[in-house]
């Protein structure tokens, strides 16, 4: 049985010659690392006080302190990042939905429109990751998974 490296080198769609594969790997890496780091920071608040980005209606509706809500947000973000790493077609949809939730929250808050616009760009990137992951899966034997 040939090694994966030999199969890849014999394949005309090697990473160096495949811009779509490069884009997929860049987006998968970014949408794995960023949610995990942001999720972890919800527990430390080193980057910012995350509760300042939370619309008051959210903790009021959940009957929880804002920081407790942010802990839950952190857990979801960490899980989303791991899911992107393991199952990018599913994880990209989770991240896209999560980003829409953040955008809606910021619009309800009535502040940080610049962050909402940035998150819209990330939302589009997550959808692009999904399309690239779907295309990559179609080129894999069996067409069901993307493991690279």
């Amino acid at each position: 049985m040939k090694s994966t490296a030999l199969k890849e080198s014999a394949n005309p769609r090697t990473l160096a010659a495949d811009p779509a594969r490069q884009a997929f790997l860049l987006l998968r890496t970014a949408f794995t690392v960023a949610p995990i780091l942001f999720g972890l920071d919800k527990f430390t608040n080193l980057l910012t006080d995350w509760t300042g980005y939370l619309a008051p209606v959210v903790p009021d509706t959940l009957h929880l302190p804002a920081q407790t809500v942010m802990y839950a947000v952190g857990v979801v973000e960490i899980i989303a990042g791991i899911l992107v790493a393991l199952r990018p077609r599913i994880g990209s949809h989770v991240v896209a939905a999560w980003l829409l939730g953040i955008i809606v929250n910021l619009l309800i808050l009535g502040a940080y429109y610049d962050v909402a616009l940035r998150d819209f760009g990330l939302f589009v990137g997550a959808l692009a990751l999904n399309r690239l992951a779907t295309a990559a899966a179609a080129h894999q034997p069996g067409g069901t998974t993307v493991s690279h």
Side-chain angles (χ1 to χ4, degrees), residues 2-147:
K2 293 181 182 178
S3 73
T4 303
L6 290 176
K7 287 180 192 175
E8 294 257 340
S9 66
N11 184 347
R13 290 179 50 96
T14 62
L15 180 60
D18 190 351
R21 183 79 177 141
Q22 293 168 4
F24 166 75
L25 292 172
L26 285 168
L27 288 170
R28 186 177 74 176
T29 300
F31 284 110
T32 294
V33 173
I36 291 171
L37 291 178
F38 285 128
L40 290 171
D41 197 59
K42 299 302 188 288
F43 295 90
T44 63
N45 289 310
L46 293 175
L47 296 174
T48 190
D49 175 10
W50 293 102
T51 60
Y53 292 92
L54 188 60
V57 68
V58 176
D60 291 348
T61 301
L62 298 173
H63 305 292
L64 294 170
Q67 187 57 55
T68 302
V69 172
M70 295 316 292
Y71 291 149
V73 166
V75 169
V76 170
E77 289 174 340
I78 292 166
I79 291 169
I82 293 168
L83 191 56
V84 168
L86 299 176
R87 301 292 301 258
R89 285 190 292 167
I90 296 168
S92 59
H93 278 301
V94 171
V95 169
W98 191 250
L99 286 162
L100 277 180
I102 293 170
I103 292 165
V104 169
N105 170 75
L106 293 172
L107 295 176
I108 291 169
L109 182 61
Y112 305 111
Y113 296 119
D114 56 332
V115 178
L117 182 58
R118 180 211 57 201
D119 285 351
F120 179 75
L122 291 170
F123 164 76
V124 172
L127 294 179
L129 172 60
N130 177 267
R131 302 314 307 145
L132 289 167
T134 301
H139 291 97
Q140 295 293 324
T144 57
T145 62
V146 177
S147 60

